Amino acid sequence: MGFGDSLKIISGSASLPLSRQLSAELSADLVEVELSEFADGELYVRVPDGVEGEDLLLIQSTYPNDKLLELFLLQDALSDSGMRSLTVVIPYFAYGRQDKRFSEGEAISSRAVARRVEVDAARVLTIDVHDKRVLSYFAGVALDVSGMPALSRYFAENGIDMVLAPDENASRHAKVVGDLMKVPWDFLKKKRIDSWTVETEEKALDVKGLDVAVVDDVISTGGTMASAARILSRQGARSVVAGCIHGLFVGGAEERLKVFDDIVATDTVSSSYSKVSVAPELAAAVRRLS
Ligand code: R5P
């Protein structure tokens, strides 16, 4: 089902800056929701009247955990609102990295999230979900939008000569960015020891005197990025920039990332490093659905 004439945007508290940008890109009204907490920390959400018969875009990143719960409550509130359709946009889809059972008995956490989200949603949009397998957990329409063009714009403005993926999984992102910018790209091989520790294989790179961007989907502890930066510095890169779509920056990440000359993230997760917006890419995806 396409969108009618009147599309309204509803933002959860995790995604207000991006929702405002998207509202401007699409010339669509942004509806304010009421959010508060009870004394015991339980969440309260209320959507105002006036969404009857409307096509709605509900935007909420699901990090940290309480934002996931807020999304579920907002969906429930909207389910009785008389809306015409609901498209749920999850810019950062948390639990995307637990997209399969790595050991017997584990939850497939991203499937658990998908099963709840799709109950009240006609379709779902994500941005650079960690693995596309996650999309298969939705029985209905689920599409992933690439935010890599946004990072490419930033790198191009900042004279980046080469793009490097810090692990094999991110090599597809480095390829997209490198191809868009028409600069060379390469990748490293990483072994994850635990949540906090990674080992990256040294590899000869042609980076002497170059301004290099390291690109990944997520920066969490910053360990992956820092390990790549040390290799680049040892091999004579002139400057190194850390670029990611989703910047979580947990547990001392800022200290670890001091090896970088610059750090850039998008606004899928708001932080002081959200220097580029994925709103143009998201708006284009929404227009394609119209
Ligand atoms: C994992 O494969 C992801 O793409 C990132 O490389 C990872 O989440 C980064 O984590 P950290 O910043 O903690 O090294």
Side-chain angles (χ1 to χ4, degrees):
M1 179 167 68
F3 296 118
D5 290 342
S6 148
L7 177 67
K8 289 199 163 147
I9 296 175
I10 307 215
S11 179
S13 61
S15 295
L16 265 169
L18 173 56
S19 296
R20 288 195 186 106
Q21 295 267 359
L22 188 66
S23 153
E25 288 275 342
L26 292 171
S27 304
D29 287 346
L30 181 60
V31 177
E32 297 274 330
V33 298
E34 223 181 296
L35 299 166
S36 59
E37 263 186 32
F38 291 103
D40 57 6
E42 288 185 356
L43 304 178
Y44 170 88
V45 313
R46 182 179 168 273
V47 291
D49 297 339
V51 295
E52 299 85 3
E54 308 280 5
D55 292 305
L56 304 178
L57 281 184
L58 170 61
I59 309 184
Q60 172 80 327
S61 277
T62 52
Y63 173 83
N65 278 323
D66 61 335
K67 304 302 178 190
L68 180 61
L69 187 56
E70 184 186 310
L71 172 65
F72 294 164
L73 299 186
L74 284 167
Q75 283 191 257
D76 188 74
L78 289 169
S79 68
D80 299 320
S81 67
M83 64 190 173
R84 179 170 179 265
S85 74
L86 177 65
T87 299
V88 177
V89 181
I90 308 181
Y92 174 60
F93 190 100
Y95 294 95
R97 286 168 289 180
Q98 185 72 30
D99 58 346
K100 62 181 178 190
R101 244 175 221 126
F102 297 90
S103 299
E104 201 48 42
E106 288 178 350
I108 303 176
S109 311
S110 52
R111 186 183 65 180
V113 174
R115 283 177 172 169
R116 172 59 193 91
V117 167
E118 73 178 352
V119 171
D120 299 307
R123 59 193 154 205
V124 175
L125 295 181
T126 57
I127 297 173
D128 291 296
V129 69
H130 181 65
D131 194 299
K132 294 265 171 69
R133 180 186 293 121
V134 170
L135 304 178
S136 70
Y137 296 140
F138 293 91
V141 178
L143 302 169
D144 190 60
V145 178
S146 174
M148 293 298 161
L151 284 182
S152 309
R153 285 196 290 278
Y154 184 88
F155 295 147
E157 280 162 17
N158 287 277
I160 290 297
D161 302 308
M162 185 199 166
V163 181
L164 182 73
D167 58 30
E168 282 176 294
N169 192 43
S171 60
R172 65 184 196 280
H173 303 310
K175 177 176 179 1
V176 169
V177 173
D179 288 352
L180 280 169
M181 294 179 63
K182 300 188 175 36
V183 299
W185 64 275
D186 207 334
F187 66 95
L188 296 170
K189 286 187 182 171
K190 169 188 94 179
K191 190 167 142 204
R192 180 164 290 286
I193 311 299
D194 59 35
S195 291
W196 298 92
T197 326
V198 297
E199 278 172 9
T200 309
E201 273 178 36
E202 186 90 30
K203 166 180 174 182
L205 298 161
D206 200 6
V207 294
K208 208 168 180 48
L210 299 186
D211 298 316
V212 183
V214 187
V215 179
D216 207 347
D217 57 342
V218 184
I219 293 179
S220 181
T221 66
T224 299
M225 281 287 185
S227 186
R230 284 191 288 271
I231 291 174
L232 285 169
S233 299
R234 276 199 293 275
Q235 297 194 24
R238 185 168 63 177
S239 73
V240 278
V241 175
C244 68
I245 299 294
H246 315 293
L248 308 183
F249 305 112
V250 303
E254 296 196 347
E255 192 54 38
R256 251 170 243 116
L257 293 170
K258 280 190 174 152
V259 284
F260 282 95
D261 297 283
D262 186 17
I263 302 165
V264 57
T266 75
D267 51 0
T268 61
V269 180
S270 294
S271 75
S272 55
Y273 301 108
S274 300
K275 298 176 184 172
V276 281
S277 180
V278 293
E281 285 66 39
L282 197 48
V286 171
R287 283 190 204 101
R288 283 195 294 273
L289 293 172
S290 301

